[in-house]
Amino acid sequence: MAKLIFIGEKFNGRIYEFAVEKTTVGRGDHNTLTIHDRSVSHSHCEILVFGPEVIVRDLGSSNGTLVDGVLLRDQQRPLHAGQTVKFGAVAARLELESSSTSDTDTDVTAVYSHARHSDKLLNKAKSSSPAQPTLDAGHPTAPEGHTLLLQQPAPPVDKIARPLAPKAADTVKLARKPKIAWVVATIVVVLVIVCWLVLARNR
């Protein structure tokens, strides 16, 4: 699994593990990873993770996104294990459990693969909205090995099945059935009596 280990005075030792394929980074609370630092733009960049491939894409940030010292301005660049990415003044190092990659894999591959799975991610996002980790410089520095994890969505509460109340029209129909039966029975009895009287006179 890919993860960012933050370095520097403000967030040193914090760890962010990539639980989704697309992580948006910025100062705004709408981001997947929120970093409360003035050097970080409201919507700073996004990071795409597909297997061993990690792509950093700048979203027009004010102070820019740097990958191993290379400034990105509305551009994207692969991020490899051990390399450093900077969001403004906030820096983090990428670590991968398995850093073996194919020579034929490119950043285009990761972006294309991400697009193929975007529908699946959108459906997951609609069904659950996990809490978003936040890095705040105002909080005390986390101890070494502290991990920021996306919280698992709470299981949906089963809806209690309730019997539906009968509609007014259905109630009227139910009430009419016994009346119709009595009317039909009365007509049958009257016909029997009339037939009996007619036969009696003919004799």
Side-chain angles (χ1 to χ4, degrees):
M1 176 180 288
K3 58 185 176 182
L4 290 177
I5 299 179
F6 285 82
I7 54 180
E9 295 180 1
K10 292 184 178 180
F11 309 111
N12 189 39
R14 299 285 184 96
I15 299 174
Y16 174 75
E17 295 183 356
F18 291 96
V20 292
E21 292 179 4
K22 178 180 178 181
T23 297
T24 57
V25 182
R27 196 172 68 249
D29 292 333
H30 66 281
N31 291 287
T32 311
L33 174 58
T34 303
I35 303 176
H36 289 163
D37 187 89
R38 291 183 179 180
S39 67
V40 179
S41 296
H42 190 70
S43 295
H44 199 94
C45 69
E46 61 185 16
I47 302 175
L48 307 176
V49 178
F50 186 74
E53 293 186 276
V54 179
I55 305 298
V56 179
R57 178 186 297 162
D58 185 74
L59 298 177
S61 60
S62 300
N63 294 321
T65 304
L66 288 86
V67 173
D68 256 15
V70 178
L71 179 64
L72 306 181
R73 288 282 188 192
D74 293 315
Q75 295 175 339
Q76 65 185 30
R77 185 179 178 87
L79 179 65
H80 302 292
Q83 289 186 326
T84 301
V85 58
K86 288 186 73 176
F87 317 107
V90 179
R93 185 179 69 254
L94 177 69
E95 282 197 5
L96 297 173
E97 286 184 359
S98 176
S99 59
S100 60
T101 57
S102 171
D103 294 337
T104 58
D105 291 339
T106 63
D107 54 338
V108 177
T109 307
V111 174
Y112 175 72
S113 300
H114 170 74
R116 284 172 50 200
H117 296 285
S118 61
D119 289 340
K120 179 177 69 175
L121 294 177
L122 288 175
N123 291 336
K124 288 182 180 178
K126 289 178 182 178
S127 62
S128 60
S129 298
Q132 300 168 343
T134 302
L135 294 181
D136 197 334
H139 292 173
T141 303
E144 188 70 27
H146 178 74
T147 303
L148 295 174
L149 294 175
L150 291 176
Q151 296 179 2
Q152 295 296 327
V157 179
D158 294 332
K159 295 182 179 178
I160 300 174
R162 297 179 181 174
L164 298 175
K167 296 180 181 178
D170 294 339
T171 306
V172 173
K173 289 178 182 177
L174 291 174
R176 287 180 179 173
K177 286 183 179 179
K179 291 182 180 178
I180 293 173
W182 282 105
V183 171
V184 171
T186 304
I187 292 173
V188 170
V189 171
V190 170
L191 288 175
V192 169
I193 293 173
V194 169
C195 291
W196 181 74
L197 291 174
V198 169
L199 290 175
R201 287 185 181 179
N202 288 339
R203 290 180 186 173

